[in-house]
Each structure stands twice: as structure tokens, then as C-alpha cells.
Amino acid sequence: RRVVAHPVPRQGQAEGRAGLLLRLIDKRFGPLPEAAVARIRGASDGELERLADDVLTAATLEDLLT
């Protein structure tokens, strides 16, 4: 039996990454201000990658977002 993978649209991938990142940030720093949520949801692929790299080492939410 052959399984064919269907590509996920790029926008869907970014939304998924942003959603996962928001969950991780919430677990680490608590509830996020709406401005931070909007910024992450609108972030570029490169910015999401940087945030994902830094989420475990940033001391504060402010450090993560600057």
C-alpha cells in the first residue's frame, strides 16, 4: 500500500509554528499580552525560527521579543 503525502501550504506551516511557539511561550512566561500574540502570529519564517531558538534560554518575555 502506497501512502502519498500531501504538501502542507506554506501559510499553514507558519500558522502551526506560530501556534506551537505561543504554547511554549505561555508555558514558560505565562499568558501573553495581545500585542505579543499578534506579533508572533504575524512573524516571518525567520523570526519564528529565531524565537523558537531563544524561547528556552530567554530570561524574560521582553528578552525573547527584543
Side-chain angles (χ1 to χ4, degrees), residues 22-60:
L22 287 168
R23 287 182 60 203
L24 292 172
I25 294 170
D26 181 74
K27 294 286 186 191
R28 170 113 178 156
F29 300 110
L32 280 75
E34 284 300 315
V37 172
R39 177 176 168 196
I40 292 166
R41 290 207 184 279
S44 68
D45 287 343
E47 180 71 2
L48 290 173
E49 192 170 313
R50 184 198 65 80
L51 290 167
D53 287 343
D54 294 346
V55 69
L56 297 177
T57 58
T60 66

Side-chain angles (χ1 to χ4, degrees), residues 7-19 45 48:
V8 176
R10 188 163 186 79
Q11 182 180 359
Q13 289 177 346
E15 289 172 4
R17 282 195 297 265
D45 287 343
L48 290 173

